[in-house]
Amino acid sequence: MIRSITKPKSKEEIDTLLDGLNRIFIIGCGTCVTLTRTGGAPEVAAMKEALLDSGKLVTGQVVVPVACDNLTSEILNEEMEKIEQADVLLIMTCAFGVQTVSSQLKRMVVPALDTLFIGKETGYGQFNEICTQCGTCIIGETGGICPVTNCHKGLVNGPCGGTNQGKCEIDSNKDCAWTLIYNRLTELGRLDSMRKLQGPRNFLGEPTPGKYEISKS
Amino acid sequence: MISSFQKALDSGKFIVTCEVAPPKGINLEKTAHHIDLLKDKVDAMNLTDHQSSVMRYPSLGGALMVKEMGGEPILQMTCRDRNRLALQGDLLFAASRGIHNVLCLTGDSVMLGDHKKAKGVFDLDSSQLLAAIRILEKGKDLGDNELDGSPAFCAGAIVTPEAKPLEPQLIKFEKKIEAGAEFIQTQAVFDLDKFKSFMEYARQFPVKILVGIILLTSAPMARFMNKNIAGVNVPQPLIDEMAQAPKGGAIVKGIEIAGRMIKAIHTEKICDGVHIMAIGKEELVPDIMAAADLTP
């Protein structure tokens, strides 16, 4: 299942964002950020303690089941009395959740997390980016492994010269996508597809901001 | 327009190229000194392009300097900092100013350099940049539009003969040749036996190979490269040889080793030439050439 992968913003950044905002309502989420332990019930409780320690007033807190869902507004309506007492909503969800709450309640929001990527859990406590949703999928020629996402440089013609022992030049903990692709294509007996000279990528898959409508025809 | 470097490649002589790094700033004295010292001794000099992702005076500016001073430049172009419009535009500018040799590189990640939070572009890769050069030469751009006056280039690329794993690099190497590379300057080589086996494979392709030779300046420098530079492997006997050099004599030993390797490559006709990387000590290139019994 795909997940929105997040990490906490630094205390310093949150302090700056909350400067002058003393009455705070905290929102967490029961889905992705619970899995990543960045915005589930324990993290929301810890944030409340930290805010109280720094002299803030917490008017209330809630962990909604799926922050990015349209039903979030109905759950938050039940908390409206405490929300209205707050200067700001400190939202411990991914940016989808923050923007959903912001558009539903039209109130001042501060994100407590940075949204890193859309990925999946690949091991206990480990999350990997799988797809950058580029709009021009090429994995039919790369053994089902995406170099646009998994190669740091998004290269489509094979590895750069920085790859070393199957790892990426920026981080020896990150796999070289092209070593993975090479190994997979070798296993599949399809190495010829790696030998094909690929033209420049089409970066116009869907110009940002993305918008898509199912054809009415 | 055939560049003098292209003529040298075609002549079958043993080619010598070296590197000149543009300065960090606009004090061009040291760069000009190196160009002046080397322009009549080597067949061409590479102008590095924000090498290791460290922002410097541009390679295009350095190449113009070489041209204006009567030397033969090889313009290094990475795909890290410019999209396809900027790369093509710079190629047109280069050709209009008499710069006709280009080395196409993908480029290091910006994370390795001194502007770590910058956006790495990589709109094209090295093989696509080579292909773009061949398209420009036919009077078109990458958008399939007509050019008013088309450029001509001698285009090259790099390969890492000791990459691990090797075959993915060789597949890329073959794509670079297919895309139009006429010459290859290799990543630093220290193990001539391994390089010979690479050349046995590479000889089947219509491309000139210039072996990359880095000047060793100390044993710690050799160990640093082994640890930090992908595809560079200084064998232990060479590190020992550097370590045993008398105090203050490491550079002399490094020159001796580089000269010895180049001489062996030259006399055994292992490849078509040498690309000397003296990394910040370009004034020593003539000494390395002398140690290799190479005459300008």
Side-chain angles (χ1 to χ4, degrees):
Chain A
M1 182 173 186
I2 69 164
R3 298 288 186 184
S4 186
I5 309 303
T6 50
K7 72 169 186 185
K9 282 184 178 291
S10 69
K11 184 177 185 305
E12 292 72 29
E13 186 177 354
I14 292 175
D15 286 349
T16 303
L17 289 165
L18 293 179
D19 187 36
L21 302 166
N22 293 319
R23 300 164 68 87
I24 297 161
F25 186 90
I26 310 169
I27 300 173
C29 172
T31 310
C32 305
V33 294
T34 291
L35 182 79
T36 54
R37 288 170 246 149
T38 48
E43 293 79 36
V44 167
M47 177 63 80
K48 180 182 178 181
E49 290 305 311
L51 291 171
L52 292 175
D53 286 349
S54 62
K56 303 284 189 186
L57 192 151
V58 175
T59 66
Q61 78 273 355
V62 64
V63 176
V64 298
V66 187
C68 58
D69 194 277
N70 287 341
L71 292 174
T72 292
S73 64
E74 295 185 19
I75 296 159
L76 292 177
N77 278 338
E78 293 171 15
E79 305 284 334
M80 198 46 77
E81 197 176 328
K82 292 172 186 167
I83 288 173
E84 285 182 341
Q85 290 168 8
D87 301 324
V88 63
L89 308 177
L90 180 64
I91 308 191
M92 300 178 71
T93 74
C94 76
F96 299 105
V98 179
Q99 295 189 46
T100 301
V101 172
S102 167
S103 70
Q104 287 171 348
L105 300 190
K106 312 266 188 311
R107 300 184 75 89
M108 174 71 188
V109 293
V110 161
L113 310 178
D114 281 320
T115 305
L116 301 176
F117 54 84
I118 303 303
K120 65 180 289 185
E121 190 170 28
T122 51
Y124 181 73
Q126 292 177 8
F127 305 92
N128 281 34
E129 189 171 13
I130 304 296
C131 173
T132 44
Q133 295 148 322
C134 70
T136 51
C137 193
I138 61 164
I139 62 175
E141 293 182 286
T142 56
I145 296 166
C146 176
V148 170
T149 305
N150 290 294
C151 168
H152 171 66
K153 299 169 188 173
L155 303 179
V156 296
N157 272 308
C160 72
T163 178
N164 202 7
Q165 315 270 9
K167 299 296 177 182
C168 180
E169 74 177 9
I170 64 157
D171 186 342
S172 58
N173 290 313
K174 293 188 175 182
D175 291 325
C176 168
W178 278 102
T179 305
L180 298 178
I181 292 167
Y182 167 78
N183 289 340
R184 176 76 57 83
L185 290 173
T186 302
E187 285 165 17
L188 296 171
R190 304 300 290 269
L191 207 50
D192 277 356
S193 71
M194 188 169 161
R195 297 185 189 279
K196 185 178 158 199
L197 183 61
Q198 302 285 355
R201 274 176 60 196
N202 173 13
F203 283 87
L204 204 60
E206 168 60 19
T208 49
K211 194 173 173 73
Y212 182 75
E213 285 180 54
I214 295 171
S215 169
K216 295 191 177 76
S217 63
Chain B
M1 179 67 206
I2 297 179
S3 70
S4 72
F5 176 61
Q6 174 108 60
K7 283 181 196 154
L9 286 176
D10 293 344
S11 74
K13 66 169 279 203
F14 190 76
I15 301 290
V16 180
T17 60
C18 67
E19 265 182 4
V20 174
K24 181 92 174 175
I26 62 165
N27 180 352
L28 302 172
E29 271 176 41
K30 191 177 172 194
T31 308
H33 171 67
H34 286 151
I35 294 169
D36 199 43
L37 184 72
L38 299 168
K39 67 186 169 69
D40 298 321
K41 296 190 174 65
V42 298
D43 294 293
M45 47 188 106
N46 287 47
L47 286 305
T48 51
D49 181 11
H50 306 304
Q51 194 167 32
S52 306
S53 305
V54 171
M55 193 287 295
R56 300 174 81 99
Y57 192 78
S59 59
L60 198 48
L64 259 183
M65 274 180 79
V66 172
K67 196 74 200 168
E68 287 165 1
M69 293 174 68
E72 178 71 352
I74 298 174
L75 176 69
Q76 293 198 182
M77 290 184 92
T78 77
C79 299
R80 177 190 55 238
D81 309 314
R82 287 164 286 188
N83 70 6
R84 67 191 81 175
L85 279 78
L87 288 167
Q88 291 178 97
D90 282 355
L91 283 164
L92 295 181
F93 177 76
S96 77
R97 300 295 291 271
I99 297 160
H100 294 286
N101 311 305
V102 184
L103 184 77
C104 301
L105 305 134
T106 295
D108 293 327
S109 165
V110 292
M111 288 178 64
L112 305 187
D114 66 352
H115 288 64
K116 294 185 195 303
K117 292 180 181 174
K119 178 175 170 58
V121 179
F122 305 111
D123 182 28
L124 302 183
D125 65 32
S126 50
S127 51
Q128 292 162 347
L129 179 58
L130 286 158
I133 285 174
R134 297 307 172 216
I135 290 167
L136 292 175
E137 288 179 328
K138 290 184 183 128
K140 293 268 192 168
D141 67 15
L142 285 178
D144 203 29
N145 308 294
E146 297 278 342
L147 299 181
D148 180 6
S150 50
F153 291 105
C154 176
I158 65 164
V159 71
T160 306
E162 291 193 35
K164 290 177 191 146
L166 182 59
E167 195 181 8
Q169 292 289 327
L170 298 185
I171 291 172
K172 185 106 179 250
F173 166 78
E174 291 177 32
K175 285 171 136 179
K176 289 175 178 181
I177 296 166
E178 182 191 344
E182 297 159 83
F183 69 94
I184 298 287
Q185 292 172 316
T186 79
Q187 176 58 286
V189 164
F190 290 96
D191 186 328
L192 291 190
D193 288 334
K194 280 189 190 156
F195 183 63
K196 280 180 199 169
S197 62
F198 167 78
M199 282 307 301
E200 278 167 26
Y201 149 83
R203 277 288 177 215
Q204 65 184 299
F205 301 102
V207 68
K208 301 284 185 178
I209 309 268
L210 313 183
V211 63
I213 297 290
I214 283 186
L215 173 66
L216 293 175
T217 54
S218 67
M221 176 258 199
R223 288 189 205 104
F224 177 86
M225 287 199 299
N226 279 354
K227 187 162 177 256
N228 294 296
I229 303 183
V232 173
N233 178 32
V234 187
Q236 191 59 42
L238 281 186
I239 298 176
D240 294 342
E241 205 180 331
M242 288 301 294
Q244 286 155 14
K247 198 169 170 11
I251 294 268
V252 173
K253 177 55 75 179
I255 292 169
E256 181 195 319
I257 291 170
R260 189 171 77 210
M261 288 172 57
I262 296 167
K263 189 174 178 180
I265 289 159
H266 183 202
T267 54
E268 293 178 43
K269 295 188 168 56
I270 296 171
C271 67
D272 305 296
V274 61
H275 178 56
I276 301 170
M277 292 171 275
I279 309 177
K281 300 198 183 304
E282 283 74 20
E283 67 278 2
L284 298 178
V285 169
D287 297 333
I288 296 168
M289 289 176 68
D293 290 339
L294 285 173
T295 46

